[in-house]
């Protein structure tokens, strides 16, 4: 069931050694679960010291932690470490690449909306003066209808 999650989940024992992980975690760490089973998290290539220290502190203090923008072998991740009372810890890794893509998509939607608004307002600003000129020309044509200049106004 954990393999169907897009969030990486790593189960650590109370010492900080890998008990299990899902396929998303294999992607984050760019290694297989069988290869690192039983390894201490700090011994896995690409694990930053900041994350290892946070895991140790979580085990010691039994208090959850959150690390923002943690660079691992598989990219940039937000990390949450939760103690499991008497059973170790749970490490969740949220891929920021997906979040960045969502932010870019949202920015594109905002820009598109702004361009639509600009286009509508610009059309309005062009049509208004033209309407005023047309009205003035009609009034001028009515006043000059008898004269030769009336044809120019029309």
């Amino acid at each position: 069931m954990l393999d169907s999650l897009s969030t990486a989940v790593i189960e650590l024992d109370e010492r900080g050694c890998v008990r299990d992980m899902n396929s998303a975690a294999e992607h984050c760490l760019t290694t297989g679960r069988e290869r690192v089973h039983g390894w201490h998290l700090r011994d896995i290539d690409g694990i930053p010291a900041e994350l290892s220290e946070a895991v140790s502190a979580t085990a010691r203090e039994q208090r959850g932690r959150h690390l923002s923008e943690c660079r691992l072998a598989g990219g940039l991740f937000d990390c949450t470490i939760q103690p499991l009372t008497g059973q170790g810890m749970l490490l969740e890794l949220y891929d920021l690449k997906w979040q960045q893509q969502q932010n870019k998509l949202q920015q594109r939607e905002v820009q598109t909306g702004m361009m639509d608004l600009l286009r509508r307002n610009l059309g309005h600003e062009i049509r208004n003066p033209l309407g005023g000129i047309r009205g003035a020309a009609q009034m001028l044509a009515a006043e000059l209808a008898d004269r030769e200049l009336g044809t120019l106004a029309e």
Side-chain angles (χ1 to χ4, degrees), residues 29 41-52 71-73:
L29 303 179
L41 190 67
R42 71 173 170 262
D43 297 330
I44 299 172
D45 288 337
I47 298 294
E50 178 186 21
L51 180 56
S52 293
R71 182 156 306 280
L72 301 173

Side-chain angles (χ1 to χ4, degrees), residues 126-142 153-154:
I126 291 171
R127 282 190 302 273
N128 270 0
L130 289 177
I133 292 169
R134 184 183 318 123
Q138 287 171 351
M139 286 174 46
L140 187 60
E154 291 174 359

Side-chain angles (χ1 to χ4, degrees), residues 1-124:
M1 181 168 76
L2 290 178
D3 280 332
S4 63
L5 295 175
S6 60
T7 300
V9 178
I10 303 171
E11 183 185 358
L12 304 170
D13 66 16
E14 49 283 336
R15 296 171 294 139
C17 297
V18 176
R19 220 184 255 156
D20 196 12
M21 64 181 177
N22 65 357
S23 57
E26 290 178 322
H27 169 73
C28 293
L29 303 179
T30 64
T31 190
R33 63 187 92 187
E34 294 85 17
R35 182 170 185 270
V36 295
H37 186 293
W39 286 22
H40 196 284
L41 190 67
R42 71 173 170 262
D43 297 330
I44 299 172
D45 288 337
I47 298 294
E50 178 186 21
L51 180 56
S52 293
E53 291 165 8
V55 166
S56 296
T58 299
R60 188 174 52 255
E61 299 167 12
Q62 289 295 297
R63 182 177 61 84
R65 287 181 166 56
H66 180 82
L67 299 176
S68 296
E69 298 183 2
C70 189
R71 182 156 306 280
L72 301 173
L76 195 61
F77 300 87
D78 274 352
C79 306
T80 302
I81 310 161
Q82 291 296 326
L84 303 172
T85 309
Q87 299 177 5
M89 293 162 280
L90 194 62
L91 174 60
E92 297 172 85
L93 305 167
Y94 303 95
D95 192 346
L96 292 179
K97 181 173 57 175
W98 180 85
Q99 184 64 40
Q100 289 168 347
Q101 289 171 343
Q102 292 300 311
N103 288 345
K104 283 181 183 179
L105 180 63
Q106 186 177 25
Q107 285 175 345
R108 218 174 282 134
E109 288 173 356
V110 167
Q111 288 173 344
T112 301
M114 291 174 72
M115 289 301 289
D116 288 343
L117 181 62
L118 178 64
R119 194 170 34 251
R120 284 193 305 270
N121 286 341
L122 188 58
H124 174 74

